[in-house]
Amino acid sequence: FIGSLFTLAFLILVRQHPFLVLGPGAFYLDTFRPAPIWMTVYEIAIVFVSLQLVAKLWAIFSPAVRARRLVIDLATKAGAIVILGFLLHAREYVVLSTTADPARFQKAVQSINEAMHLCWKVALIVLSLQLAWEIGKWIFSNLRVKAAPSQIVS
C-alpha cells in the first residue's frame, strides 16, 4: 500500500517535471527531452496505480477482497504488460530539444531510442514470464487442492 502511494506521488511529480525521470540525463535537457508519448504513459500509469491503491486500501478493510489478493496481483502484472506494450508500440522515447543541433545529435537520439526499445522488450518478456509463472502456480495449486480430497481412502 505504502509503495503504491509513493509510486503515485512520484508519477504525479514526474508528470509535472518530466526531467526527473531522466536522472543524470537532466543535465542534457538542452539537447534531449522526453518524447510526447510519456505524457500519455504517465496518465495511464497514474490511473493504473490509483486503481491499484484503491484495491489495496479496500483489501485492508475487507477480508473478501483480501482473499482475492492473488487476482489483484495478477491484474497488476497484466496492467504493467499493457503499459509496456503501449511503450513498445511508440518506438520514440527521447526527441531532440528545439535548441539542439540536429546534424550533431540526431544519431544519438536514434541510438537512445533503439536502446530503450530493446530494454522495454526485455522488460515485457520478463513480466510476461512472471505472469505466466504466477498463473501456472495458481492453476497447479488449485488442481492439487481439488485432487487431494479424492485421494483419501476410507
Side-chain angles (χ1 to χ4, degrees), residues 14-26:
V14 166
R15 186 172 184 265
Q16 293 172 352
H17 306 286
F19 62 88
L20 292 174
V21 80
L22 297 174

Side-chain angles (χ1 to χ4, degrees), residues 2-85:
I2 293 174
S4 295
L5 200 56
F6 281 122
T7 302
L8 182 61
F10 175 75
L11 286 171
I12 291 170
L13 184 66
V14 166
R15 186 172 184 265
Q16 293 172 352
H17 306 286
F19 62 88
L20 292 174
V21 80
L22 297 174
F27 293 116
Y28 299 99
L29 282 177
D30 56 338
T31 308
F32 309 111
R33 62 183 176 83
I37 188 69
W38 287 108
M39 291 309 286
T40 305
V41 169
Y42 293 144
E43 290 168 359
I44 293 170
I46 286 170
V47 168
F48 177 70
V49 173
S50 297
L51 291 173
Q52 184 183 20
L53 195 58
V54 167
K56 288 182 177 184
L57 184 63
W58 194 11
I60 290 172
F61 299 108
S62 171
V65 175
R66 205 173 311 130
R68 303 273 186 227
R69 182 181 169 115
L70 178 63
V71 174
I72 293 170
D73 290 344
L74 292 176
T76 299
K77 276 192 173 69
I81 288 170
V82 168
I83 292 172
L84 284 176

Side-chain angles (χ1 to χ4, degrees), residues 78-124:
I81 288 170
V82 168
I83 292 172
L84 284 176
F86 184 74
L87 276 170
L88 275 173
H89 185 66
R91 298 188 74 93
E92 184 179 57
Y93 313 106
V94 176
V95 294
L96 278 178
S97 180
T98 55
T99 59
D101 178 20
R104 184 173 172 201
F105 294 111
Q106 190 59 45
K107 185 70 175 167
V109 166
Q110 183 181 356
S111 297
I112 291 169
N113 284 328
E114 288 173 2
M116 289 181 76
H117 187 74
L118 180 62
C119 291
W120 294 128
K121 278 184 179 178
V122 170
L124 183 67

